[in-house]
């Protein structure tokens, strides 16, 4: 495992809400991030079906999206969600983990644009897809005057 | 011809409270977040008491965008289910204590805008059903913290209504 990934995983462990949802960083780098969230009965939206609540999937997709922005070569110092639109295509299969893959596909000086897909075990049929914009706070360039 | 006397206030209140409690208990994720719903007549206000597990990045520290999104989404779904249930409940067609509740609406699309950072304190949200049809419904929801006039997030949700 690369040092950067180890570092990013350690960072994920310090994020309280990501931790309470059981999120695990699978991959991260070059504007892409993959995060997995195991099935957990506490996150059910409808007990009649056992399907996870959309809110838990939104939280997973938001986290993966923010991670993709942080891993972009633009070297963000910090980021925050501006907006996120999520289309729910089908319920996630009860008992299966959900994995979100986010791509930060474009950045300007101050804004990052992302796409994100959530899948369960059947990766050919996404559970949800989203697009969003994030703030991009850059590190001051080396030698730049404050 | 004599008018039916109005129902005693306790009867009305306990019926409404029971229906709301049953709706909220029907979504385990609301319990996971720690949110609850305050009721004034038919008006609902969702309350999300602050808890450290709702923090995104402790270095900032602000509410996690995902926690905020989930709070808005549960507020929208409960408001829609509540509004749909209201008439059947008030006319006695559905008894909140015994009969099976209608299935919950399903989220089709959820769009959230973050207007400012969520502070590490309690948050509130209210939703309004903009349009409610046989098949689809649209709900808008707004969340604030200290100051009602300064919302920190808003969302629009399109729902698929349950069959039947």
């Amino acid at each position: 495992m690369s040092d950067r990934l180890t570092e990013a995983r350690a960072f994920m462990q310090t994020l309280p809400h990501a931790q309470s949802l059981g999120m695990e960083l699978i991959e991260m780098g070059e504007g892409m991030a993959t995060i997995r969230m195991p099935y957990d009965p506490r996150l059910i939206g409808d007990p009649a079906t056992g399907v996870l609540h959309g809110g838990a999937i939104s939280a997973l997709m938001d986290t993966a999206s923010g991670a993709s922005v942080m891993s972009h070569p633009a070297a963000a110092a910090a980021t925050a969600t501006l907006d996120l639109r999520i289309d729910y295509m089908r319920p996630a299969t009860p008992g299966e983990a959900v994995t979100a893959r986010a791509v930060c596909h474009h950045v300007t000086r101050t804004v990052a644009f992302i796409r994100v897909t959530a899948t369960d075990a059947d990766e050919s049929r996404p559970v949800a897809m989203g697009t969003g914009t994030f703030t991009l706070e850059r590190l001051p360039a080396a030698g730049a005057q404050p | 011809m004599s008018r039916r006397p109005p129902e005693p206030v306790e009867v009305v209140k306990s019926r409404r409270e029971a229906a709301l409690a049953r709706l909220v208990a029907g979504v385990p994720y609301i319990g996971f977040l720690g949110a609850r719903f305050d009721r004034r007549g038919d008006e609902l206000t969702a309350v999300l008491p602050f808890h450290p597990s709702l923090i995104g990045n402790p270095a900032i520290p602000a509410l996690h965008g995902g926690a905020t999104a989930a709070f808005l989404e549960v507020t929208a779904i409960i408001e829609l289910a509540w509004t749909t249930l209201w008439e059947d409940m008030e006319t006695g067609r559905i008894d909140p204590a015994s009969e099976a509740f209608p299935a919950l609406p399903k989220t089709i699309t959820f769009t959230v805008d973050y207007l400012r950072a969520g502070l590490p304190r309690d948050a509130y949200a209210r939703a309004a059903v903009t349009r409610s049809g046989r098949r689809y419904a649209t709900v808008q929801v707004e969340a604030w913290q200290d100051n009602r006039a300064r919302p920190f997030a808003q969302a629009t949700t399109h729902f698929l209504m349950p069959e039947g």
Side-chain angles (χ1 to χ4, degrees), chain A residues 11 14-18 20-21 41-47 53-56 58-59 62-63 81-88, chain B residues 26-29 32-33 52-58 64-67 69-70 73-74 77 104 107-114:
Chain A
F11 178 68
T14 68
L15 308 181
H17 196 60
S20 75
L21 286 163
R42 294 177 305 157
L43 310 182
I44 289 173
D46 185 354
H53 192 271
S58 300
D62 180 79
T63 307
T81 320
L82 282 170
D83 77 75
L84 186 61
R85 177 207 159 108
I86 297 177
D87 298 333
Y88 293 97
Chain B
V27 184
Y29 192 71
F32 172 80
L33 274 179
S53 71
L54 299 173
I55 289 285
N57 182 352
H64 191 288
E73 202 170 335
V74 297
I77 202 165
L104 286 170
T107 309
I108 304 169
T109 286
F110 177 72
T111 308
V112 55
D113 300 318
Y114 295 89

Side-chain angles (χ1 to χ4, degrees), chain A:
Chain A
M1 197 191 298
S2 75
D3 287 353
R4 228 182 129 184
L5 187 57
T6 316
E7 215 172 277
R9 278 193 179 161
F11 178 68
M12 274 277 297
Q13 304 278 328
T14 68
L15 308 181
H17 196 60
Q19 272 316 104
S20 75
L21 286 163
M23 291 184 204
E24 186 198 350
L25 183 68
I26 306 294
E27 246 182 307
M28 183 172 167
E30 302 295 311
M32 284 189 277
T34 304
I35 297 181
R36 184 176 175 276
M37 182 174 72
Y39 184 79
D40 182 336
R42 294 177 305 157
L43 310 182
I44 289 173
D46 185 354
T49 57
V51 170
L52 290 182
H53 192 271
I57 303 202
S58 300
L60 173 69
M61 293 171 86
D62 180 79
T63 307
S65 303
S68 76
V69 175
M70 293 306 289
S71 79
H72 191 276
T79 187
T81 320
L82 282 170
D83 77 75
L84 186 61
R85 177 207 159 108
I86 297 177
D87 298 333
Y88 293 97
M89 272 98 75
R90 67 174 177 94
T93 307
E96 292 180 4
V98 178
T99 303
R101 290 178 180 80
V103 182
C104 174
H105 59 85
H106 183 76
V107 297
T108 69
R109 211 157 50 82
T110 49
V111 181
F113 298 80
I114 62 90
R115 280 191 295 265
V116 57
T117 306
T119 55
D120 56 18
D122 180 358
E123 296 193 355
S124 65
R125 294 187 309 132
V127 164
M129 295 185 78
T131 55
T133 53
F134 281 69
T135 64
L136 183 62
E137 287 168 50
R138 290 171 183 266
L139 293 165
Q145 295 299 312

Side-chain angles (χ1 to χ4, degrees), chain B residues 73-95:
Chain B
E73 202 170 335
V74 297
T75 305
I77 202 165
I78 293 296
E79 178 70 35
L80 178 57
W82 173 251
T83 308
T84 313
L85 185 67
W86 180 265
E87 207 176 300
D88 282 343
M89 174 180 72
E90 291 299 299
T91 54
R93 276 197 293 270
I94 288 181
D95 174 7

Side-chain angles (χ1 to χ4, degrees), chain B residues 2 16-17 22 25 28 46 50 71-72 81 88 109 118 126-127 132 149 151 162:
Chain B
S2 71
R16 292 176 184 170
E17 289 301 330
R22 196 161 156 193
F50 175 71
F71 178 53
L72 291 166
D88 282 343
T109 286
R126 271 189 208 142
S132 175

